[in-house]
């Protein structure tokens, strides 16, 4: 079993805001992250596939195909977007890095078999800043 | 003459949008950066002071004082903010990295003498992403 | 289960020196790291919390609270300090990165429940240099 | 159990090419990576040892010894080399990052006991580029 | 005057070899860099444009246009290539980082006016490795 | 004119302390940096040589020779040392990053002609931490 990873990036605006709460409670809990006028980040996304290399290619997955899949299915839906307003798969959800990583897993997990029969999704790692990041392994 | 630099960071939302133009022209010129719902970045800001070290301290400027000055005068006004809506010194200006770097210079340049008599502002370097950055030397 | 991480930093002096040995044996074993006049490092500390996000916030833990906890309980005790002389929790212990990571775990592990009921300490990762680092998972 | 890691680097040329296939099929599968005139990378190699620290030194393994072992057994055989032509242990194998990481494991795993009795090889992490990397844990 | 920079990357094989010299002299001068079977690198290329921002856009140059220009004129000619064999503009020249940076300047300098009338080429910065890099300002 | 740079690193202990002052004034001015028990850093040192490439090699200077010179003349004198106690060329001087960069210039400037007749020392860049750094151009 080998673990193969590809890093992509996107940038987006968001706010942390629970619509079930008052504005005051949102500011109390989320502080400046609740700014109604939004703030934003350069996100770095690392997708890891686990598997055994195809003996004919030496590849668990062709990284060009993995890069294209991540860009088409995830990056194009998030890059230069507002996570709260523009992203259908985040509607009704908190726009935290934790939730975003879990939703990216849900999108990519069933599609890995389209690009390789030698591996499956192992981990989503998502940097919100160089100092804050999340990992999700699907369970 | 020695050049001493300090790196700080902030994150913010913005859009690139010229209000003198139609929405269509903004999209044509700025592409996804014109998204009306905003996008955002983790900015890295490097402030460089030039001067001769104070012989009593070996310092051109005390980096603790420089860090505090940058945070109070720049970072607090930009961090977790919307550059187009929340920042008085950017009102009526394009929220590009070029313009932001020039405005940060204008704020910091007259205040360096408050923290050192051995140096003056030499350069503002501002990373919008790890791949895009601007430098401004005041002229 | 999501893994959420926060990076902080501190710098410190130390030496590698076993007081049960002669000076010669210390130099033989530890080489320049045994320099009696000390050397030092910029340490990077990454603390990882595992858990399920609070549905009301989307957070496993509020990163502002985690950052404050790490700074108050760990960074303030180590930053600009001598690991061998100034740090009570390292007295009588070797000042290696391995031991330091394990001691940081002991400090933080019981305090995570003060800042979240949705997660617990999962990992301490400690960079002594960009080329040398240690990870500890508590067992 | 602590995990101690050391990062080294080398650069090398390679191509991705299956000699059982026609030139056309190689180009179809591997694209520009099949360039007959080679291309190359700066590889970053991180070797992780797991174990319990030696109570006399605080070390799972002496990092100077680990660095020397990696350089003598791996880096000297790969640095400034052509992975397809110059490296005996890769003969008859695909020169993918996956295969290279697995072969580095095979070389280092039996030699760790020469430098420590407190740890064993836990992981090989190999960056082909800052965006593409592989991890191998030996099984 | 503002300086705006864009980072792109490519990887390539090369060797350092003066065909006017014997094989022995090449090895003596260039050491492992003269390996006849080539070695390679991940190059990072930073292109800096100087100018005054267009008041209508806030841009010295549209970074999307600059990125596309660098990719079409430079990266496509070098990425996954052999600098000695595959690159017409390096024929008959030493494939050192110094020479490569100077040749990239010659390619890009006359084309900047195609994408902006507010700036001109100021600097080419080329990393051969994270530890070795070259800057060229055109004179 | 091309600028060629090489990065090396060392780690060291130091304190900021003016012996002409009382202990109280040192603490007042230098804060935790005046800790009598020392603190330390991983320093990153970038040495830049300017010149025209030797037409026979394509080199301003052979980077292997430059690396060896920096290691022998600078790194060996500073690595795993106490800047205040162990380094003859810093005796009687403040151990600030500014002063250290200027002293490294003095050591290297006259020795560059030993390794190349095509270039001379242009700049010393010294990172004390990833957030604090100094540049010195010799005047």
């Amino acid at each position: 079993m080998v673990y193969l990873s590809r890093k992509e990036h996107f940038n987006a605006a968001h706010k942390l805001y629970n619509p079930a709460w008052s504005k005051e409670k949102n500011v109390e809990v989320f502080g400046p992250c609740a700014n109604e006028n939004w703030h934003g980040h350069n996100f770095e996304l690392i997708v890891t596939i686990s598997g055994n290399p195809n003996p004919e290619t030496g590849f668990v997955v062709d990284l060009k195909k993995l890069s294209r899949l991540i860009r088409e299915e995830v990056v194009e839906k998030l890059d230069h977007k507002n996570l709260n307003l523009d992203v259908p798969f985040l509607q009704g959800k908190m726009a935290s890095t934790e939730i975003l990583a879990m939703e990216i897993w849900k999108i990519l997990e069933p599609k890995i078999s389209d690009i390789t029969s030698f591996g499956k999704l192992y981990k989503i790692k998502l940097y919100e800043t160089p100092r804050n990041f999340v990992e999700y392994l699907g369970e």
Side-chain angles (χ1 to χ4, degrees), chain A:
Chain A
M1 186 79 89
V2 180
Y3 302 85
L4 181 68
S5 297
R6 172 70 191 170
K7 183 158 84 166
E8 301 287 347
H9 54 86
F10 58 92
N11 56 70
H14 77 150
K15 67 177 175 186
L16 297 174
Y17 208 88
N18 185 334
W21 293 346
S22 68
K23 180 175 168 179
E24 288 70 25
K25 180 154 187 198
N26 272 289
V27 170
E28 181 194 325
V29 172
F30 295 117
C33 299
N35 178 7
E36 289 186 305
N37 285 334
W38 321 97
H39 65 284
H41 301 288
N42 304 321
F43 291 88
E44 300 275 347
L45 170 63
I46 299 175
V47 175
T48 301
I49 307 296
S50 63
N52 285 295
N54 178 341
E56 287 194 311
T57 60
F59 286 172
V60 171
V61 60
D62 182 333
L63 283 168
K64 290 187 301 296
K65 290 181 183 171
L66 179 59
S67 174
R68 196 184 310 127
L69 180 73
I70 303 168
R71 293 191 200 200
E72 286 175 5
E73 298 294 333
V74 177
V75 170
E76 286 187 12
K77 294 170 181 168
L78 297 170
D79 192 36
H80 285 81
K81 294 290 195 298
N82 183 307
L83 299 183
N84 304 69
L85 300 180
D86 296 332
V87 183
F89 67 81
L90 291 173
Q91 289 310 298
K93 304 199 174 74
M94 295 302 296
S96 73
T97 316
E98 289 95 322
I99 302 299
L100 181 53
M102 294 167 87
E103 294 298 319
I104 291 171
W105 173 283
K106 286 188 206 163
I107 292 170
L108 288 179
E109 194 275 335
K111 294 187 185 296
I112 302 299
S113 59
D114 297 349
I115 58 168
T116 181
S117 54
F118 290 84
K120 58 182 185 172
L121 186 59
Y122 176 72
K123 188 165 71 172
I124 299 295
K125 186 172 188 177
L126 184 61
Y127 285 83
E128 187 185 66
T129 75
R131 291 157 291 279
N132 297 341
F133 61 92
V134 155
E135 293 159 286
Y136 182 59
L137 286 81
E139 54 188 32

